[in-house]
Amino acid sequence: MTILVTGGAGYIGSHTCVELLNKGYDIVIMDSFENSNPNVLKRITEITGKQVKAYPIRLLDKASVREVFAKHNIEAVMHFAGYKAVGESVSFPLKYYRNNVHSTVILCEVMREYGVNKLVFSSSATVYGAVNQVPIDENTELKPANPYGRTKQIIEGMLQDLYFSDQRWSIALLRYFNPIGAHTSGLIGEDPNGIPNNLLPYISQVAVGKLDKLHVFGNDYPTKDGTGIRDYIHVVDLAIGHLSALENVQSSTGINTFNLGTGRGYSVLEVIAAFEKASGRAIPYTIEARRSGDAAICYANCSKAKEQLGWQATRGIDAMCKDTWRWQSTNLNGYEEVTKRNKTNV
Ligand code: WQD
């Protein structure tokens, strides 16, 4: 039996593929490689010693999706594929609704045609929007503040409706907080296109000299040092959480939502200090105006995942920064050369 991983060459998908292979699962990947690097597949093999079968297709291409299901005896699906840049989603909402929502409809239609009804879905804490109480639990009202977050909310609702129409389905909706870090091998990690939107990849590029300084978006929030607080979770902890969710959907039917975070928050200034310690590099920064749409504080109540999945994050901010630095300072630059070459060869 095989696990299909859509978006398996992406940041969280690739780390999950490593954990699946290490656990002895057979996997097959579908990835359009629009926002990921085919070299990741070689790196996954280098880490695990196992070959991976990958299909360079878009989920919107239903005939190609069907071909993969026809060729492989798929037992369950881990669905990571999707666009995830908040700012881009504001500028190009239709692109996000079509890609994220419609491709999930197609995926579920083909799953149903082939009698596959076990699904782990990559959702996001962005569905909560700016909350006024922390820690956030799964019953918190959903008020996504951007089209990207709304696509995740719509997909969650669609999967709820799918389950209620056919209760043979078994679905886990995983709401990630702020995934950061990289595999300890330094061979895979976050590889954002262009100037990073998110804090850690931006800091990491300042540390390696690609960017000259960090712009801290506001230091007048009602927090310990005035800067924004988030629940950063190591991407390997997150990947392991997906395996716990997979075991859950394999052993039951139903639909369940789980927060995947650490349950504690770090401020921007605390993350800067942790990264300076991990990298031995100074991170120059200036204080700027708040970024619109940012919440002051956001961190998870993860007790449901602990009780029902038997999972909790174990890696702290120091490991997240150390692993990010190893990835950035050893391998990511090599990647960029390859990516540039790949893009010019396309
Ligand atoms: C973290 C903190 C910023 C950049 C986003 C997406 C969310 C999810 C995770 C996909 C905030 C501050 C940031 C910078 C800064 N992605 N910051 N300077 O906004 O919590 O969540 O990534 O699911 O959808 O919204 O993460 O890393 O952008 O910001 O000061 O250059 O760092 O203000 O307090 P965020 P982030």
Side-chain angles (χ1 to χ4, degrees), residues 86 124 126 148 178 197-199 215 217 230 232 291 294:
V86 170
S124 168
T126 307
Y148 160 70
N178 288 60
N197 297 307
N198 297 137
L199 181 67
H215 305 274
F217 297 144
R230 294 291 183 276
Y232 299 97
R291 180 172 65 177
D294 271 356

Side-chain angles (χ1 to χ4, degrees), residues 279-317:
S279 63
R281 302 285 176 92
I283 306 293
Y285 65 86
T286 53
I287 302 293
E288 319 273 341
R290 293 181 179 188
R291 180 172 65 177
S292 70
D294 271 356
I297 306 179
C298 176
Y299 61 88
N301 173 335
C302 320
S303 54
K304 184 178 175 187
K306 186 174 179 188
E307 285 150 21
Q308 296 189 22
L309 300 181
W311 169 91
Q312 64 179 0
T314 59
R315 294 161 178 82
I317 193 71

Side-chain angles (χ1 to χ4, degrees), residues 84-86 123-127 146 148-149 152 176-180 196-203 214-218 221 227-230 232 266 268 290-291 294-296 298:
K84 66 165 190 102
V86 170
S123 190
S124 168
T126 307
V127 297
N146 55 68
Y148 160 70
K152 294 295 187 183
Y176 313 156
F177 280 71
N178 288 60
I180 62 171
N197 297 307
N198 297 137
L199 181 67
L200 244 293
Y202 200 104
I203 287 179
L214 172 70
H215 305 274
V216 175
F217 297 144
Y221 285 105
T227 63
I229 290 177
R230 294 291 183 276
Y232 299 97
Y266 290 96
V268 175
R290 293 181 179 188
R291 180 172 65 177
D294 271 356
C298 176

Side-chain angles (χ1 to χ4, degrees), residues 304-345:
K304 184 178 175 187
K306 186 174 179 188
E307 285 150 21
Q308 296 189 22
L309 300 181
W311 169 91
Q312 64 179 0
T314 59
R315 294 161 178 82
I317 193 71
D318 291 336
M320 296 179 212
C321 291
K322 211 174 288 174
D323 294 339
T324 302
W325 177 239
R326 186 183 305 109
W327 155 249
Q328 174 76 56
S329 56
T330 52
N331 279 287
L332 182 50
N333 296 328
Y335 249 32
E336 275 151 0
E337 288 318 306
V338 173
T339 307
K340 262 189 232 135
R341 269 205 305 278
N342 284 355
K343 293 213 163 133
T344 47
N345 294 342

Side-chain angles (χ1 to χ4, degrees), residues 5 7-23 27 29 40-41 43-44 47-48 78 80 179-191 233-243 315 320 323-324 327 335:
V5 184
Y11 176 39
I12 301 163
S14 57
H15 285 82
T16 305
C17 286
V18 164
E19 298 307 322
L20 285 166
L21 291 167
N22 286 342
K23 196 87 184 239
I27 68 170
I29 291 173
V40 170
L41 305 173
R43 299 289 178 90
I44 291 171
I47 293 167
T48 62
M78 289 191 154
F80 294 96
I180 62 171
H183 190 266
T184 46
S185 64
L187 289 171
I188 54 175
E190 191 167 10
D191 177 15
I233 175 172
H234 197 295
V235 65
V236 175
D237 276 331
L238 193 58
I240 293 166
H242 281 74
L243 269 67
R315 294 161 178 82
M320 296 179 212
D323 294 339
T324 302
W327 155 249
Y335 249 32

